[in-house]
Amino acid sequence: MSKTIAVIGGTGAQGFPIVKRLLAAGPDGSPSPWKVRVLTRDPTHHRAKKLEALGAEILQGSFLDREVIGKLFDGAYGAFVNTDTHTVGAEAETTAAFVIALNIILTNQRQWELANWYKVRHFVWSNLEYTLRTGGYNPRYNVQNHLGKGRFGAFLAAQPAPVDGEGTVWTNFTANVYMEMLNLLMVPEVQPDGTRVFFGPMNEDSAIWLVSQDDMAWWARYIFDNFELTAGQELKIVSGQWTLREIAETFTKVTGIPATYRLLTMDEYFSLWNGKEVPFATGLPVEQGGLSWEDHFRCWWAVRRDNVLKRDMNWIRSVHPGATTLEQWMRDNKYDGTLPQQVRQWLLKGNEDHIGIRRKKLATLDARSF
């Protein structure tokens, strides 16, 4: 008999492929052991409609609504919870003394308590590394979505995980930068002669951990299919790590199109963006204590520039030998280093709120050596 997994964030860039994978048949063609119930604010959204057509149950509401969360968790065996920092920051129920990340903690502790009350057996938290702590509490690494998710991940790690009991057991699903961000924030500049220039506020040896959406979906299914191996564990998942030089070299290898890379300072990089003063959290204006888009991404890039994050690729490949390589991803997606039409409508579903953010031409900067 199929068991139900309740999903928060199921129509987003991460959750959408995960729900599809949970509903998919096994490698041998056998039916999936999982049913999926997806919470969404807009059941008429095309992604919600697609998931419904695949067999997902769609429930309308907000993850901040206790009554709705009760309906979502009721009768569910498992939960995959990916809250949206942009949305949570808009909530007026938390005091101005709390940073936006603490809003997430308070909300998600309530979800954890409700999960226990409704006897959800396996609670999987879509986590991000607590970069402020990993970086020795240096404020340059205070990435807002990492802060909120990472703090709550630390809270979960302090909870019991009774594999042989009846209570709710947690797993931290710690992801990283989507490989698909090469279609958005990290898309290269196209020069007049067609050369693609990959760039960022990085050092020569700075490398970015990336994870493909396919790999995230694989790991989510693996976690639910292997309860005893993953209960009470943090799985730090990635597909691999690449420098800007390696990204450019791989691109040319795959496409035959000339590519190079450019290392910028923080100030040079952010001079390329219009609208960067908008608030990172949609409902928390900068004048009310929120961070701007630029402030957030200065911290985000600093984490990558300084190689703060570490991952165990030997373990990852031992569990998932088919992890996506950058070359494979580029080939499978026919990646040509330009912004796809569908991505022009934004990869991350909530980015309509940041519609004013646009990148200027790289040529506006003085020439630097590659």
Side-chain angles (χ1 to χ4, degrees):
M1 182 177 179
S2 298
K3 298 179 179 179
T4 297
I5 297 173
V7 176
I8 293 175
T11 59
Q14 180 184 115
F16 187 74
I18 286 175
V19 173
K20 291 172 63 178
R21 187 73 180 229
L22 290 172
L23 292 169
D28 61 355
S30 59
S32 172
W34 309 113
K35 295 179 181 179
V36 180
R37 181 183 301 146
V38 176
L39 179 67
T40 179
R41 288 167 291 171
D42 182 8
T44 66
H45 193 278
H46 67 93
R47 293 192 187 189
K49 289 296 186 182
K50 287 179 181 178
L51 293 179
E52 188 174 35
L54 291 173
E57 176 187 350
I58 304 299
L59 176 66
Q60 183 176 14
S62 166
F63 65 80
L64 295 168
D65 186 324
R66 186 186 181 101
E67 182 177 349
V68 170
I69 292 297
K71 293 178 181 179
L72 179 70
F73 286 161
D74 193 18
Y77 161 84
F80 184 91
V81 178
N82 182 21
T83 53
D84 181 359
T85 307
H86 303 281
T87 301
V88 177
E91 293 306 306
E93 67 187 89
T94 56
T95 68
F98 291 164
V99 295
I100 182 175
L102 190 53
N103 301 2
I104 299 177
I105 294 171
L106 294 175
T107 300
N108 294 330
Q109 283 178 334
R110 184 171 65 187
Q111 291 171 357
W112 171 254
E113 292 162 357
L114 284 169
N116 272 277
W117 174 253
Y118 285 98
K119 305 304 181 186
V120 172
R121 182 63 172 136
H122 198 177
F123 183 96
V124 179
W125 170 242
S126 177
N127 192 35
L128 287 172
E129 181 140 352
Y130 188 177
T131 52
L132 184 62
R133 182 175 65 180
T134 303
Y137 296 98
N138 188 324
R140 77 172 56 169
Y141 306 132
N142 188 17
V143 187
Q144 288 299 284
N145 54 343
H146 283 255
L147 182 66
K149 288 179 175 290
R151 279 178 169 172
F152 184 66
F155 163 79
L156 283 183
Q159 307 307 308
V163 175
D164 298 325
E166 296 181 353
T168 299
V169 173
W170 58 270
T171 297
N172 274 330
F173 173 91
T174 304
N176 219 294
V177 179
Y178 304 160
M179 198 171 283
E180 286 71 16
M181 290 298 278
L182 287 166
N183 278 324
L184 190 60
L185 183 69
M186 297 166 58
V187 71
E189 186 71 27
V190 181
Q191 297 297 289
D193 65 356
T195 299
R196 278 29 171 194
V197 183
F198 293 87
F199 65 98
M202 304 282 274
N203 299 323
E204 189 69 43
D205 64 347
S206 302
I208 302 177
W209 291 106
L210 299 173
V211 60
S212 71
Q213 291 177 325
D214 285 346
D215 282 349
M216 285 190 292
W218 186 96
W219 282 104
R221 178 67 180 258
Y222 172 82
I223 287 171
F224 284 111
D225 285 352
N226 295 274
F227 173 76
E228 293 187 356
L229 292 177
T230 63
Q233 302 294 318
E234 178 178 11
L235 278 64
K236 294 185 175 183
I237 63 157
V238 290
S239 301
Q241 185 184 37
W242 294 270
T243 64
L244 288 179
R245 176 189 289 272
E246 290 168 336
I247 292 173
E249 290 174 346
T250 302
F251 176 82
T252 297
K253 178 182 178 181
V254 170
T255 66
I257 299 172
T260 186
Y261 67 102
R262 191 167 184 172
L263 307 175
L264 306 178
T265 67
M266 285 286 185
D267 288 345
E268 287 173 333
Y269 178 80
F270 285 100
S271 73
L272 295 172
W273 294 90
N274 288 320
K276 55 183 177 288
E277 68 282 352
V278 301
F280 170 69
T282 307
L284 189 59
V286 174
E287 58 270 20
Q288 294 181 19
L291 286 184
S292 68
W293 185 90
E294 178 181 356
D295 289 338
H296 168 79
F297 276 102
R298 277 182 178 265
C299 295
W300 188 94
W301 276 110
V303 167
R304 279 79 201 176
R305 180 196 62 199
D306 298 344
N307 291 321
V308 171
L309 306 180
K310 310 297 180 186
R311 295 293 182 265
D312 185 349
M313 284 306 301
N314 289 332
W315 171 78
I316 288 171
R317 292 192 180 104
S318 71
V319 179
H320 184 26
T324 308
T325 66
L326 183 61
E327 179 178 343
Q328 176 188 346
W329 180 86
M330 287 183 174
R331 293 189 188 281
D332 289 349
N333 289 275
K334 297 180 173 57
Y335 182 68
D336 67 358
T338 61
L339 208 60
Q341 180 58 40
Q342 66 270 26
V343 178
R344 293 180 188 275
Q345 302 171 8
W346 301 100
L347 171 64
L348 301 179
K349 186 165 62 73
N351 266 4
E352 288 89 349
D353 297 320
H354 289 160
I355 201 70
I357 299 172
R358 288 292 185 270
R359 198 175 77 193
K360 305 174 189 175
K361 290 291 185 181
L362 185 63
T364 60
L365 288 178
D366 292 337
R368 288 171 58 91
S369 59
F370 294 149

